[in-house]
């Protein structure tokens, strides 16, 4: 399937049930454009693309894109994604997850996938609110967020996933924004082509429960426009602290690639030339003799 | 003096190398042609405490140990005090004269090791030499055992063993163990057998987080990963373990996971995912006493009902329970083959007693194969959950030209796209649950129940897993029939029911406090009259069970 494909080739018959105005539409569009371009440019074979999703509004993306997909469970995308890479290193693995999903329920898995440098991409639909469960605070909601479980305001402040991922050894750390579609598509493509663990924190408003469009529109800027050196971990770390996922009091929000580095991948080291898809078994006679 | 069987206990502290000593003694008897069973008993600590191993040898097949011993090897005083009740009138205590006061044979084991600048763990080797002399075997057998089981400082070990052998000159042959026909046979722990059975059924990836008593599968496969052509992965926790396994299976790699009760509890969410998304995932559940941390290094059969019912929602599963290392080898292979044939989770129940005891085995590895499973050959549009052939859809893996493989934890249509339509929800359940009948049909072609003892008897003992070894021996000569289901889900009613008809009495023997097998049998209309239960963390021994069985059938 080296021939080019169009975005419509990736459509499915599933009815889209995201709310009108949802930031997920832009993420889906950017992902499809990225996939189409990578296939058409001959970088990836369509049959080798594998998407995963967790549970939440974002998870439906697995139904909406006609590619191999593993629609998994809440917080658990990195485990199956790692297993897929161990089994077959030809596969190009792109995990989609929500902020509650990846930064809350399954944070341990995300940290370990980054620490190991599994060659995979995690795209976090970070709307900073639980949408599908109708509006509770998440790990990236600002302190004081008034949600259904915290009507008097969230008592805890947000974590900064960019800073976290830098500190645990992710080799590609980026932020994108659903209001900047072309930029998002480019970041996705570079994340997918990165050889190693890539995290893209994709900011998206939740039109129904946390509408942040105007907030983001007035604050985002492209790191690459300001000559940020993404090979410099210290510069990346400093930039990661420019915005702390707070509320109105916060300053500018950098988007783009914070950091990119090369490091051997986990699965290359662990699999070490074995073919996990060939199930033919070895004989045991020599080993059994040693047990006598 | 000669016996029809022999038991040797070796005891000391953690760090004294008791496990290695038990293994070496087992190898010595193995070379003499005997069937061997080694029981290990140790607390959950790294240094100190009290560890012991009981090595039992008999010319005929055994899968259990006895309480009483012919030789007690004591590396510390506590070993004498704790175990002197096990001595018979003609038993011999072999002890380290440098450390222990006792009557018997007391070579200065510590001094012998020290005089050659060897660490005190080498006392074991001195003891092995002395034991060999006591049982009247030639020293060349000791040398052979050391060469086969020790990799470091081999010649020095042989030299101290010779000293131990010579120092026992006065006791040479006092408990003579004559060579018998047969053997030597591979000595395997239950966990080693589980590992090897899976490998012969095409295992390519083993994923586990350390947890006693499952950890030795992880260690054994890691140590032999290149010879066995497997990849072994130890992730951050048991949730990641089963998640990785499910991802790898989706991509086409035959994968297995292993854990104990607490880790299995963490896996349960993913067990349900395997049920909904139809992922082949074999899980080894090696039980230890609970609840919670329970008693980490001891044994129990207390997780049967948990494993049978674990997971939210309704989905089919296979659950099997081997009773010895040979059964573990074969059922472990079955676990992989059935998981891939039927795209279901398969749970292989072990326990500390099976997983960590050592058994003589006679394995025919060619009896185990990678059995064929339904694979898509490129005909028509690929649908991961096609119902064209009923409950079993053809498998394709990502990377297959022309196939888009959509796996889904959500209720889904045949293509794998999410649905909430009532008709499709109902059909999804019918498809998945319809596998039960197909699995039953497959199991009818396999051995699912073993029967031992007096097969015509109307007095019946039913038991499962590692407990069967002691039950079969204890029941021998008492006109009793012993029935052991190898499969517990689906329960092989077709083979079991006849053993519950026209009977005088049915007694169920198991190592838990609530009679879980009895409950499960009653669930299927198979009545048990009385239960013999043990829940002190220790396995049944033949001696204890002989008494209890006599009583319960009197």
């Amino acid at each position: 399937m080296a021939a080019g494909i169009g975005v419509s080739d990736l459509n499915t018959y599933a009815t889209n049930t995201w709310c009108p105005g949802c930031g997920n539409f832009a993420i889906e569009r950017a992902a499809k454009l990225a996939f189409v371009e990578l296939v058409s440019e001959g970088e990836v074979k369509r049959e080798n693309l594998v998407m995963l999703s967790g549970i939440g509004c974002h998870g439906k993306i697995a139904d909406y894109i006609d590619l191999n997909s593993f629609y998994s469970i809440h917080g658990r995308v990195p485990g199956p994604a790692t297993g897929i890479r161990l089994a077959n290193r030809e596969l190009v693995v792109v995990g989609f997850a929500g902020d509650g999903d990846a930064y809350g329920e399954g944070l341990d898995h995300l940290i370990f996938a980054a620490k190991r440098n599994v060659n995979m991409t995690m795209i976090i639909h970070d709307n900073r609110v639980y949408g599908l469960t109708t509006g509770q605070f998440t790990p990236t909601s600002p302190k004081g967020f008034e949600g259904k479980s915290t009507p008097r305001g969230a008592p805890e402040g947000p974590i900064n996933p960019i800073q976290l991922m830098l500190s645990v050894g992710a080799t590609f750390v980026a932020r994108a924004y659903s209001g900047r579609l072309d930029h998002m598509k480019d970041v996705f493509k570079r994340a997918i082509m990165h050889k190693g663990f890539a995290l893209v924190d994709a900011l998206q408003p939740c039109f129904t429960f946390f509408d942040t469009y105007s907030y983001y529109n007035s604050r985002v800027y492209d790191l690459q426009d300001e000559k940020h050196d993404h090979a410099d971990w210290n510069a990346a770390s400093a930039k990661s602290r420019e915005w702390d996922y707070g509320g109105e009091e916060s300053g500018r929000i950098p988007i783009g690639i914070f950091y990119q580095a090369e490091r051997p991948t986990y699965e290359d080291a662990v699999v070490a030339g074995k073919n996990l898809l060939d199930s033919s078994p070895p004989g045991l006679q020599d080993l059994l003799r040693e047990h006598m | 003096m000669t016996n029809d069987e022999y038991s040797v206990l070796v005891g000391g502290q953690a760090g004294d190398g008791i496990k290695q000593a038990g293994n070496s003694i087992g190898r010595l008897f193995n070379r003499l042609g005997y069937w061997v069973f080694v029981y290990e008993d140790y607390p959950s600590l790294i240094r100190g405490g009290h560890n012991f191993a009981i090595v039992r040898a008999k010319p005929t097949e055994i899968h259990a140990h006895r309480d009483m011993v012919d030789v007690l090897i004591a590396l510390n005083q506590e070993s004498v005090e704790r175990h002197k009740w096990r001595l018979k009138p003609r038993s011999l205590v072999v002890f380290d004269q440098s450390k222990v006061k006792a009557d018997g044979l007391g070579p200065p084991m510590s001094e012998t090791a020290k005089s050659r600048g060897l660490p005190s763990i080498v006392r074991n080797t001195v003891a092995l030499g002395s034991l060999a002399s006591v049982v009247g075997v030639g020293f060349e057998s000791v040398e052979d055992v050391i060469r086969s089981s020790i990799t470091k400082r081999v010649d020095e070990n042989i030299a101290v063993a010779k000293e131990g052998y010579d120092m026992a000159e006065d006791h040479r042959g006092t408990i003579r163990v004559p060579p018998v026909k047969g053997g030597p046979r591979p000595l395997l722990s239950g966990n080693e057998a589980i590992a090897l059975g899976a490998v012969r059924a095409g295992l390519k990836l083993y994923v586990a987080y350390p947890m006693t008593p499952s950890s030795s599968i992880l260690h054994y496969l890691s140590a032999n990963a290149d010879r066995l052509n497997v990849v072994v992965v130890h992730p951050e926790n048991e949730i990641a373990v089963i998640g990785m396994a499910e991802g790898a299976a989706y991509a086409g790699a035959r994968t297995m996971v292993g854990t104990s009760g607490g880790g299995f509890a963490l896996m349960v969410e993913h067990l349900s995912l395997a049920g909904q998304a139809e992922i082949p995932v074999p899980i080894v559940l090696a039980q230890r006493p609970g609840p919670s941390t329970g008693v980490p290094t001891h044994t129990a059969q207390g997780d049967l009902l948990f494993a049978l019912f674990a997971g939210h929602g309704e989905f089919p599963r296979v659950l099997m329970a081997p009773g010895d290392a040979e059964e573990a080898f074969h059922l472990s292979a079955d676990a992989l083959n059935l998981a891939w044939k039927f795209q279901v989770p398969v749970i292989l129940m072990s326990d500390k007693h099976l997983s960590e005891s050592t058994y003589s085995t006679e394995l025919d590895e060619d009896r185990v194969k990678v059995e064929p499973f339904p694979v898509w050959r490129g005909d028509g549009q690929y649908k991961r959950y096609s119902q064209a052939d009923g409950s079993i859809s053809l498998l394709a893996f990502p990377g297959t030209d022309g196939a888009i493989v959509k796996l889904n934890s959500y209720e889904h249509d045949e293509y794998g796209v999410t649905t909430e339509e009532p008709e499709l929800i109902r059909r999804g359940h019918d498809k998945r649950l319809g596998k039960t009948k197909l699995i039953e049909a497959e199991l009818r072609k396999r051995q699912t129940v073993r029967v031992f003892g007096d097969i015509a008897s109307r007095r019946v003992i039913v038991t499962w897993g590692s407990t069967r070894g002691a039950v079969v021996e204890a029941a021998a000569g008492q006109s009793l029939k012993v029935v052991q289901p190898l499969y517990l889900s689906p329960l092989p009613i077709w083979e079991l029911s006849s053993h519950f008809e026209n009977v005088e009495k049915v007694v169920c023997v198991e190592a838990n406090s609530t009679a879980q097998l009895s409950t499960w049998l009653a669930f299927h209309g198979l009545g048990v009259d009385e239960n013999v239960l043990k829940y002190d963390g220790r396995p049944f021994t033949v001696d204890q069970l002989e008494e209890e069985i006599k009583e319960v059938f009197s």
Side-chain angles (χ1 to χ4, degrees), chain A residues 1 12-14 46-51 55 60-74 76 78-88 91 105 108-110 112-113 116 132 266 270-272 274-292, chain B residues 27 30-31 148 184-188 192 196 199-202 204-205 220 224-237 239-240 243-244 246-248 250-254 269-270 273 279 329 363 365 370 398-410 413 415-418:
Chain A
M1 241 186 265
T12 67
Y13 54 82
R46 179 180 181 178
E47 63 267 26
N48 285 346
L49 280 166
V50 184
M51 304 167 56
I55 293 296
K60 301 177 183 211
I61 200 168
D63 286 336
Y64 302 155
I65 302 184
D66 202 20
L67 291 173
N68 297 313
S69 60
F70 189 119
Y71 196 152
S72 83
I73 49 181
H74 195 53
R76 310 304 176 204
T82 305
I84 292 166
R85 283 287 306 163
L86 287 168
N88 183 351
L91 300 178
E105 185 84 19
D108 47 352
H109 309 308
L110 186 72
F112 274 83
R116 294 181 184 121
L132 208 52
Y266 176 72
V270 168
V271 175
K274 289 172 186 161
N275 178 1
L276 274 65
L277 302 180
D278 171 10
S279 61
S280 55
L284 302 178
Q285 283 314 315
D286 288 348
L287 190 60
L288 287 174
R289 248 191 301 281
E290 291 170 22
H291 280 274
M292 294 178 184
Chain B
R27 284 172 184 255
N30 193 31
R31 275 166 178 67
S148 77
R185 303 170 181 87
L187 298 174
L188 294 175
E192 288 164 347
L196 294 176
V199 165
R200 284 296 292 171
K204 283 292 161 274
L205 176 64
Y220 185 71
N224 295 290
D226 290 341
R227 297 175 74 177
L228 297 175
N229 196 24
V230 293
V231 170
V232 180
V233 173
H234 161 190
E236 63 271 26
N237 58 34
I239 300 173
M244 284 190 190
E246 289 174 341
Y250 163 71
R254 286 167 89 93
E269 187 193 26
H270 273 278
L273 167 60
I279 309 172
F329 178 81
L363 299 179
E365 64 175 284
V370 179
T400 306
D401 192 9
I404 289 169
V405 188
K406 293 191 94 65
L407 176 146
N408 202 338
S409 72
Y410 218 119
D413 63 14
Y415 192 59
V417 164
T418 299

Side-chain angles (χ1 to χ4, degrees), chain B residues 142-305:
Chain B
V142 180
E143 192 172 334
D144 188 24
V145 165
I146 291 172
R147 289 196 189 284
S148 77
S149 59
I150 293 177
T151 51
K152 283 181 207 150
R153 305 177 84 163
V154 174
D155 290 333
E156 288 164 290
N157 270 282
I158 290 169
V160 294
K162 185 71 168 68
E163 285 192 53
Y165 190 84
D166 292 340
M167 285 186 278
E169 181 67 41
D170 292 349
H171 289 77
R172 181 152 306 163
T174 48
I175 301 176
R176 208 169 68 77
V177 181
V180 293
K181 255 191 134 121
R185 303 170 181 87
L187 298 174
L188 294 175
S189 70
N191 277 350
E192 288 164 347
I194 288 168
L196 294 176
V199 165
R200 284 296 292 171
L203 181 75
K204 283 292 161 274
L205 176 64
Y206 183 74
V207 195
Y209 186 86
M211 187 170 185
T212 308
S214 66
S215 306
S216 55
I217 304 174
L218 175 65
H219 303 164
Y220 185 71
L221 285 172
S222 299
N224 295 290
D226 290 341
R227 297 175 74 177
L228 297 175
N229 196 24
V230 293
V231 170
V232 180
V233 173
H234 161 190
E236 63 271 26
N237 58 34
E238 287 88 347
I239 300 173
V241 164
I242 187 165
M244 284 190 190
E246 289 174 341
Y250 163 71
R254 286 167 89 93
T255 307
M256 184 164 81
V257 303
T259 187
S260 187
F264 181 71
L266 287 175
M267 292 182 181
V268 167
E269 187 193 26
H270 273 278
L271 180 70
S272 185
L273 167 60
Q276 171 69 273
E278 306 188 42
I279 309 172
V281 55
I283 303 168
V284 179
L285 169 50
Q287 303 160 97
R288 67 194 215 188
S292 193
T293 307
V295 197
T297 61
H298 290 279
T299 202
Q301 297 178 295
D303 295 334
L304 175 59
L305 294 177

Side-chain angles (χ1 to χ4, degrees), chain A residues 10-262:
Chain A
L10 295 186
N11 292 342
T12 67
Y13 54 82
T15 308
N16 194 304
T17 59
W18 287 325
C19 304
C22 179
N24 280 323
F25 286 106
I27 296 175
E28 179 201 346
R29 178 83 187 164
K32 278 181 172 169
L33 288 168
F35 291 142
V36 162
E37 289 182 16
L38 289 171
V39 171
S40 301
E41 289 160 9
E43 297 284 357
V44 182
K45 289 182 181 167
R46 179 180 181 178
E47 63 267 26
N48 285 346
L49 280 166
V50 184
M51 304 167 56
L52 296 95
S53 71
I55 293 296
C57 289
H58 84 273
K60 301 177 183 211
I61 200 168
D63 286 336
Y64 302 155
I65 302 184
D66 202 20
L67 291 173
N68 297 313
S69 60
F70 189 119
Y71 196 152
S72 83
I73 49 181
H74 195 53
R76 310 304 176 204
V77 165
T82 305
I84 292 166
R85 283 287 306 163
L86 287 168
N88 183 351
R89 284 173 292 158
E90 297 291 311
L91 300 178
V92 176
V93 173
V94 184
F96 296 84
D99 46 321
D101 184 292
Y103 302 149
E105 185 84 19
L107 181 61
D108 47 352
H109 309 308
L110 186 72
I111 288 173
F112 274 83
K115 165 188 183 283
R116 294 181 184 121
N117 200 35
V118 178
N119 186 0
M120 61 180 278
T121 301
M122 283 296 287
I123 293 171
I124 312 302
H125 300 229
D126 191 357
N127 57 8
R128 305 166 69 207
V129 68
Y130 288 98
L132 208 52
T133 54
T134 69
Q136 299 86 8
F137 83 107
T138 75
T140 49
S141 299
K143 188 171 184 183
F145 180 86
E146 291 175 18
K148 285 188 175 165
S149 62
T150 54
R152 294 178 194 172
E156 48 190 296
I159 57 168
N160 180 332
I162 302 292
Q163 219 181 339
L164 176 71
M165 287 293 105
L166 285 170
S167 74
V168 298
T171 51
F172 184 103
V173 182
R175 182 186 285 141
Y177 167 48
S178 63
R180 300 282 184 276
L181 183 68
D182 280 348
H183 178 268
M184 179 176 264
K185 178 211 65 180
D186 286 339
V187 171
F188 285 179
K189 277 181 76 177
R190 292 179 67 173
I192 294 166
M193 293 315 296
H194 172 68
K195 190 171 184 295
F197 180 86
L199 178 116
V200 183
D201 187 55
L203 296 175
Q204 60 152 131
C206 171
F207 199 66
T208 306
F209 294 107
F210 194 20
D211 184 1
T212 46
Y213 267 116
S214 54
Y215 175 83
Y216 289 142
N217 281 337
S218 62
R219 284 171 169 80
V220 297
Y221 75 95
D222 187 347
L223 280 167
Q224 274 66 41
D225 286 347
E226 300 198 358
K227 311 265 180 275
H228 167 64
D229 178 7
H230 61 248
D232 181 344
W233 190 91
N234 288 318
S237 186
K239 279 291 176 192
S240 78
R241 289 192 297 273
E242 187 174 359
W243 180 58
D244 65 358
Y245 290 75
E248 287 305 324
E249 74 290 353
S250 303
R252 294 203 308 162
I253 303 175
I255 60 172
I257 299 166
F258 286 78
Y259 182 65
Q260 183 168 15
E262 285 239 0

Side-chain angles (χ1 to χ4, degrees), chain B residues 5-52:
Chain B
E5 62 166 273
Y6 303 87
S7 286
V8 177
L9 185 150
V10 54
Q13 286 190 358
D16 281 344
I18 298 302
K19 188 177 164 59
Q20 173 65 39
N23 182 286
S24 298
I25 295 165
R27 284 172 184 255
L28 189 66
F29 284 117
N30 193 31
R31 275 166 178 67
L32 296 171
Y34 287 75
W35 287 81
V36 173
F37 179 83
V38 186
Y39 167 68
E40 320 264 357
D41 191 302
Y42 62 100
S44 184
L45 46 73
I46 311 295
R47 290 282 181 270
H50 180 67
N51 287 17
F52 68 95

